[in-house]
Amino acid sequence: MAEPFDNYSRYYDLLYQDKDYRGESDYVRDLLHRFHPAVNSILELGSGTGRHAELFAASGLQVTGVELSTRMFEIANDRAQRVSSTNSTAGFSIHQGDARNFRIDQRFDAVISLFHVASYQVSNADILNLFQTASHHLQAGGCFVFDVWYGPAVLAQQPAVRVKRLEDNTIRVLRIAEPTVDTQANRVDVHYTMIISDKTSGEVEQFTERHPMRYYFSPELHLIAEQAGLELVHSEEWMTANKPSPDTWGVTYVARKHSSKGRS
Protein backbone atom coordinates (compact mmCIF):
# COMPACT_ATOMS: atom_id res chain seq x y z
CA MET A 1 0.00 0.00 0.00
CA ALA A 2 1.31 3.45 -0.90
CA GLU A 3 2.41 5.97 1.67
CA PRO A 4 0.17 9.07 2.11
CA PHE A 5 0.17 11.29 -0.98
CA ASP A 6 2.32 8.99 -3.14
CA ASN A 7 -0.41 8.74 -5.79
CA TYR A 8 -3.03 10.97 -4.20
CA SER A 9 -0.96 14.10 -4.91
CA ARG A 10 -1.45 13.73 -8.66
CA TYR A 11 -5.13 14.52 -8.23
CA TYR A 12 -4.92 16.78 -5.19
CA ASP A 13 -5.85 20.09 -6.84
CA LEU A 14 -8.76 18.47 -8.67
CA LEU A 15 -10.04 16.85 -5.47
CA TYR A 16 -10.00 20.20 -3.69
CA GLN A 17 -10.98 22.47 -6.56
CA ASP A 18 -13.98 23.67 -4.53
CA LYS A 19 -11.87 24.51 -1.46
CA ASP A 20 -12.07 28.20 -0.52
CA TYR A 21 -8.35 28.93 -0.57
CA ARG A 22 -8.84 32.68 -0.79
CA GLY A 23 -11.26 32.77 2.14
CA GLU A 24 -8.98 30.53 4.18
CA SER A 25 -5.92 32.66 3.40
CA ASP A 26 -7.77 35.82 4.40
CA TYR A 27 -8.90 34.13 7.62
CA VAL A 28 -5.38 33.02 8.57
CA ARG A 29 -3.88 36.40 7.70
CA ASP A 30 -6.48 38.18 9.85
CA LEU A 31 -5.91 35.73 12.70
CA LEU A 32 -2.17 36.33 12.56
CA HIS A 33 -2.63 40.07 12.70
CA ARG A 34 -4.85 39.70 15.77
CA PHE A 35 -2.00 38.11 17.70
CA HIS A 36 1.06 39.56 15.95
CA PRO A 37 0.16 42.76 14.04
CA ALA A 38 3.58 43.13 12.37
CA VAL A 39 3.63 39.90 10.36
CA ASN A 40 5.69 40.25 7.19
CA SER A 41 7.35 36.84 6.84
CA ILE A 42 5.80 33.37 7.08
CA LEU A 43 7.17 29.85 7.12
CA GLU A 44 4.55 27.35 5.96
CA LEU A 45 5.04 23.75 7.10
CA GLY A 46 3.27 21.39 4.72
CA SER A 47 2.60 23.69 1.76
CA GLY A 48 0.88 21.09 -0.40
CA THR A 49 0.63 22.43 -3.93
CA GLY A 50 1.21 26.00 -2.81
CA ARG A 51 -2.29 27.44 -3.16
CA HIS A 52 -2.32 29.19 0.23
CA ALA A 53 1.28 30.38 -0.11
CA GLU A 54 0.58 31.88 -3.53
CA LEU A 55 -2.26 33.96 -2.07
CA PHE A 56 -0.23 35.03 0.97
CA ALA A 57 2.56 36.17 -1.34
CA ALA A 58 0.12 38.07 -3.55
CA SER A 59 -1.05 39.98 -0.46
CA GLY A 60 2.48 41.22 0.16
CA LEU A 61 3.81 38.64 2.61
CA GLN A 62 7.17 36.91 2.20
CA VAL A 63 6.42 33.19 2.25
CA THR A 64 8.80 30.25 2.55
CA GLY A 65 7.20 26.86 2.12
CA VAL A 66 8.19 23.32 3.07
CA GLU A 67 6.67 20.24 1.43
CA LEU A 68 7.64 16.58 1.74
CA SER A 69 5.74 15.06 -1.21
CA THR A 70 7.86 15.20 -4.37
CA ARG A 71 4.88 15.69 -6.68
CA MET A 72 3.32 18.41 -4.52
CA PHE A 73 6.67 20.15 -4.18
CA GLU A 74 7.05 20.21 -7.97
CA ILE A 75 3.60 21.76 -8.41
CA ALA A 76 4.21 24.30 -5.64
CA ASN A 77 7.63 25.17 -7.02
CA ASP A 78 6.08 25.85 -10.44
CA ARG A 79 3.61 28.17 -8.70
CA ALA A 80 6.43 29.94 -6.90
CA GLN A 81 8.26 30.47 -10.17
CA ARG A 82 5.13 31.93 -11.79
CA VAL A 83 4.59 34.24 -8.81
CA SER A 84 8.16 35.52 -9.06
CA SER A 85 7.95 36.05 -12.82
CA THR A 86 4.66 37.96 -12.74
CA ASN A 87 5.06 39.99 -9.54
CA SER A 88 8.49 41.26 -8.58
CA THR A 89 7.32 42.31 -5.10
CA ALA A 90 5.71 38.97 -4.18
CA GLY A 91 7.88 36.58 -2.22
CA PHE A 92 7.24 32.83 -2.45
CA SER A 93 9.93 30.18 -2.32
CA ILE A 94 9.66 26.53 -1.36
CA HIS A 95 11.93 23.78 -0.09
CA GLN A 96 11.39 20.05 -0.31
CA GLY A 97 11.79 18.69 3.18
CA ASP A 98 10.22 17.10 6.22
CA ALA A 99 8.51 19.58 8.55
CA ARG A 100 9.56 17.45 11.53
CA ASN A 101 13.27 18.12 11.03
CA PHE A 102 13.50 20.99 8.55
CA ARG A 103 16.00 23.70 9.51
CA ILE A 104 17.27 26.83 7.79
CA ASP A 105 19.20 29.74 9.26
CA GLN A 106 16.27 32.16 9.13
CA ARG A 107 13.66 33.41 11.59
CA PHE A 108 10.08 34.36 10.72
CA ASP A 109 7.31 36.49 12.19
CA ALA A 110 4.91 33.56 11.90
CA VAL A 111 4.83 29.86 11.17
CA ILE A 112 1.68 28.22 9.81
CA SER A 113 0.67 24.62 9.20
CA LEU A 114 -2.75 24.26 7.60
CA PHE A 115 -5.25 21.67 6.42
CA HIS A 116 -4.60 19.32 9.36
CA VAL A 117 -0.88 18.83 8.72
CA ALA A 118 -0.52 18.59 12.51
CA SER A 119 -3.03 15.74 12.59
CA TYR A 120 -0.84 13.78 10.19
CA GLN A 121 1.72 13.72 13.03
CA VAL A 122 0.37 10.62 14.76
CA SER A 123 3.13 9.94 17.29
CA ASN A 124 4.14 12.09 20.26
CA ALA A 125 7.63 12.40 18.80
CA ASP A 126 6.29 13.56 15.43
CA ILE A 127 4.04 16.30 16.80
CA LEU A 128 6.74 17.50 19.20
CA ASN A 129 9.22 17.66 16.34
CA LEU A 130 6.76 19.69 14.26
CA PHE A 131 6.32 22.15 17.12
CA GLN A 132 10.08 22.34 17.63
CA THR A 133 10.53 23.17 13.95
CA ALA A 134 8.02 25.99 14.35
CA SER A 135 9.65 27.24 17.54
CA HIS A 136 13.16 27.12 16.07
CA HIS A 137 12.18 29.36 13.15
CA LEU A 138 10.06 31.90 15.05
CA GLN A 139 11.19 35.31 16.18
CA ALA A 140 10.64 35.88 19.91
CA GLY A 141 6.96 36.70 20.30
CA GLY A 142 6.12 35.23 16.89
CA CYS A 143 3.05 33.06 16.37
CA PHE A 144 2.48 29.50 15.21
CA VAL A 145 -0.97 28.92 13.68
CA PHE A 146 -2.11 25.36 13.01
CA ASP A 147 -5.34 23.38 12.82
CA VAL A 148 -6.20 19.84 13.91
CA TRP A 149 -8.97 17.30 14.07
CA TYR A 150 -10.57 18.13 17.42
CA GLY A 151 -10.90 15.11 19.72
CA PRO A 152 -14.24 15.91 21.39
CA ALA A 153 -15.92 16.34 17.99
CA VAL A 154 -14.36 13.23 16.43
CA LEU A 155 -15.56 11.10 19.33
CA ALA A 156 -19.01 12.70 19.40
CA GLN A 157 -19.67 12.59 15.67
CA GLN A 158 -17.63 9.51 14.64
CA PRO A 159 -15.99 9.41 11.19
CA ALA A 160 -18.16 8.00 8.41
CA VAL A 161 -17.63 6.57 4.95
CA ARG A 162 -17.64 9.36 2.37
CA VAL A 163 -17.81 9.25 -1.42
CA LYS A 164 -16.69 12.08 -3.67
CA ARG A 165 -17.12 12.28 -7.46
CA LEU A 166 -15.54 14.93 -9.65
CA GLU A 167 -14.11 15.46 -13.10
CA ASP A 168 -12.28 17.83 -15.39
CA ASN A 169 -11.86 17.89 -19.18
CA THR A 170 -9.82 14.71 -19.28
CA ILE A 171 -10.66 12.43 -16.33
CA ARG A 172 -13.38 11.34 -13.93
CA VAL A 173 -12.42 10.60 -10.34
CA LEU A 174 -14.27 8.55 -7.74
CA ARG A 175 -12.86 8.74 -4.22
CA ILE A 176 -14.10 6.51 -1.42
CA ALA A 177 -12.91 7.33 2.10
CA GLU A 178 -13.35 4.54 4.66
CA PRO A 179 -12.27 5.39 8.24
CA THR A 180 -11.15 3.09 11.02
CA VAL A 181 -11.01 4.58 14.53
CA ASP A 182 -8.37 3.58 17.07
CA THR A 183 -9.48 5.21 20.33
CA GLN A 184 -6.42 3.90 22.21
CA ALA A 185 -4.11 5.84 19.88
CA ASN A 186 -6.41 8.87 19.29
CA ARG A 187 -6.14 8.04 15.60
CA VAL A 188 -8.34 7.59 12.56
CA ASP A 189 -6.91 5.61 9.66
CA VAL A 190 -8.62 6.88 6.51
CA HIS A 191 -8.41 4.30 3.73
CA TYR A 192 -8.81 6.03 0.37
CA THR A 193 -9.79 4.14 -2.76
CA MET A 194 -9.31 6.19 -5.91
CA ILE A 195 -10.76 5.17 -9.28
CA ILE A 196 -9.69 7.38 -12.20
CA SER A 197 -11.26 7.03 -15.64
CA ASP A 198 -9.67 8.60 -18.73
CA LYS A 199 -12.42 10.21 -20.80
CA THR A 200 -10.57 9.78 -24.09
CA SER A 201 -9.08 6.30 -23.88
CA GLY A 202 -11.50 4.75 -21.42
CA GLU A 203 -8.59 3.43 -19.38
CA VAL A 204 -9.22 3.02 -15.66
CA GLU A 205 -6.65 3.32 -12.87
CA GLN A 206 -7.31 2.30 -9.29
CA PHE A 207 -5.16 2.64 -6.18
CA THR A 208 -5.51 2.78 -2.42
CA GLU A 209 -3.74 4.86 0.23
CA ARG A 210 -3.93 4.91 4.01
CA HIS A 211 -3.84 8.32 5.68
CA PRO A 212 -3.38 8.07 9.48
CA MET A 213 -4.91 11.10 11.22
CA ARG A 214 -4.54 11.88 14.92
CA TYR A 215 -7.20 13.83 16.74
CA TYR A 216 -6.05 16.12 19.52
CA PHE A 217 -7.30 17.54 22.80
CA SER A 218 -6.33 20.97 24.12
CA PRO A 219 -4.52 19.82 27.31
CA GLU A 220 -2.04 17.65 25.36
CA LEU A 221 -1.40 20.46 22.87
CA HIS A 222 -0.67 22.84 25.75
CA LEU A 223 1.87 20.36 27.11
CA ILE A 224 3.52 19.73 23.73
CA ALA A 225 3.70 23.46 23.03
CA GLU A 226 5.40 24.11 26.36
CA GLN A 227 7.98 21.42 25.64
CA ALA A 228 8.81 23.22 22.39
CA GLY A 229 9.16 26.66 23.99
CA LEU A 230 5.72 27.84 22.87
CA GLU A 231 2.63 29.01 24.74
CA LEU A 232 -0.79 28.03 23.44
CA VAL A 233 -2.75 31.29 23.66
CA HIS A 234 -5.92 30.80 21.63
CA SER A 235 -8.24 28.28 20.00
CA GLU A 236 -11.34 28.64 17.83
CA GLU A 237 -13.39 26.82 15.24
CA TRP A 238 -11.70 26.91 11.84
CA MET A 239 -12.97 29.84 9.73
CA THR A 240 -15.85 30.81 12.06
CA ALA A 241 -14.01 31.93 15.24
CA ASN A 242 -16.65 30.09 17.28
CA LYS A 243 -15.69 28.45 20.55
CA PRO A 244 -14.57 24.81 20.05
CA SER A 245 -17.26 22.26 20.90
CA PRO A 246 -18.24 18.65 20.16
CA ASP A 247 -19.71 20.04 16.93
CA THR A 248 -16.34 21.49 15.87
CA TRP A 249 -14.35 18.97 13.84
CA GLY A 250 -11.62 21.40 12.80
CA VAL A 251 -10.06 23.70 15.41
CA THR A 252 -7.43 26.40 14.87
CA TYR A 253 -4.81 27.04 17.54
CA VAL A 254 -2.42 29.94 18.03
CA ALA A 255 0.84 29.42 19.94
CA ARG A 256 3.33 32.17 20.75
CA LYS A 257 7.11 31.82 21.02
CA HIS A 258 8.39 32.47 24.53
CA SER A 259 10.66 35.49 24.51
CA SER A 260 12.73 33.98 27.33
CA LYS A 261 13.32 30.62 25.68
CA GLY A 262 16.41 29.82 23.67
CA ARG A 263 16.24 28.48 20.16
CA SER A 264 15.77 24.75 19.88
Side-chain angles (χ1 to χ4, degrees):
M1 184 173 291
E3 291 300 311
F5 298 109
D6 278 359
N7 291 309
Y8 196 83
S9 59
R10 289 184 288 156
Y11 308 102
Y12 187 87
D13 280 342
L14 178 59
L15 285 166
Y16 297 106
Q17 63 184 354
D18 55 350
K19 186 173 172 62
D20 184 11
Y21 283 97
R22 184 170 299 280
E24 292 178 358
S25 299
D26 290 344
Y27 163 73
V28 171
R29 192 173 61 251
D30 291 345
L31 185 63
L32 284 171
H33 286 303
R34 281 166 53 191
F35 291 91
H36 191 358
V39 171
N40 294 303
S41 60
I42 291 179
L43 175 66
E44 183 179 33
L45 303 177
S47 292
T49 59
R51 298 281 294 276
H52 287 121
E54 180 180 27
L55 290 165
F56 289 134
S59 72
L61 297 172
Q62 300 298 308
V63 185
T64 300
V66 181
E67 176 53 44
L68 180 60
S69 163
T70 298
R71 178 56 179 156
M72 287 190 174
F73 166 76
E74 291 170 348
I75 296 171
N77 192 48
D78 286 343
R79 278 205 168 91
Q81 297 300 320
R82 288 198 301 271
V83 167
S84 299
S85 65
T86 59
N87 187 342
S88 60
T89 63
F92 174 22
S93 62
I94 187 161
H95 302 262
Q96 186 173 16
D98 190 328
R100 294 168 294 184
N101 55 37
F102 177 79
R103 295 291 186 274
I104 55 174
D105 187 19
Q106 188 176 350
R107 300 298 179 266
F108 298 84
D109 300 320
V111 176
I112 62 175
S113 193
L114 308 179
F115 209 6
H116 316 308
V117 167
S119 279
Y120 275 94
Q121 316 310 313
V122 295
S123 74
N124 290 337
D126 285 344
I127 189 65
L128 178 58
N129 287 338
L130 180 76
F131 276 47
Q132 288 176 334
T133 297
S135 181
H136 176 86
H137 293 96
L138 277 173
Q139 304 275 10
C143 288
F144 177 35
V145 171
F146 62 97
D147 64 304
V148 298
W149 283 17
Y150 187 54
V154 174
L155 295 180
Q157 299 179 33
Q158 289 294 307
V161 173
R162 295 183 182 274
V163 177
K164 187 170 187 177
R165 295 179 175 86
L166 50 122
E167 62 184 276
D168 60 16
N169 293 330
T170 60
I171 60 172
R172 294 186 181 90
V173 176
L174 171 65
R175 186 190 72 179
I176 305 169
E178 299 173 286
T180 302
V181 181
D182 183 346
T183 56
Q184 295 301 306
N186 290 2
R187 193 181 76 203
V188 179
D189 287 341
V190 184
H191 302 268
Y192 286 110
T193 299
M194 298 276 290
I195 303 172
I196 300 94
S197 304
D198 187 291
K199 289 183 176 180
T200 301
S201 67
E203 293 182 354
V204 177
E205 175 190 8
Q206 179 172 328
F207 63 87
T208 61
E209 286 188 1
R210 180 179 67 91
H211 289 215
M213 302 292 291
R214 180 170 171 177
Y215 49 89
Y216 283 94
F217 300 85
S218 291
E220 63 183 322
L221 291 173
H222 277 277
L223 180 61
I224 294 165
E226 285 292 331
Q227 290 179 315
L230 301 167
E231 179 187 5
L232 216 59
V233 296
H234 181 70
S235 63
E236 66 182 44
E237 184 178 30
W238 171 254
M239 291 288 283
T240 71
N242 292 334
K243 183 178 179 180
S245 76
D247 296 322
T248 308
W249 194 283
V251 169
T252 314
Y253 287 88
V254 181
R256 182 175 285 122
K257 176 72 174 286
H258 290 309
S259 58
S260 61
K261 295 286 184 179
R263 291 170 181 166
S264 59

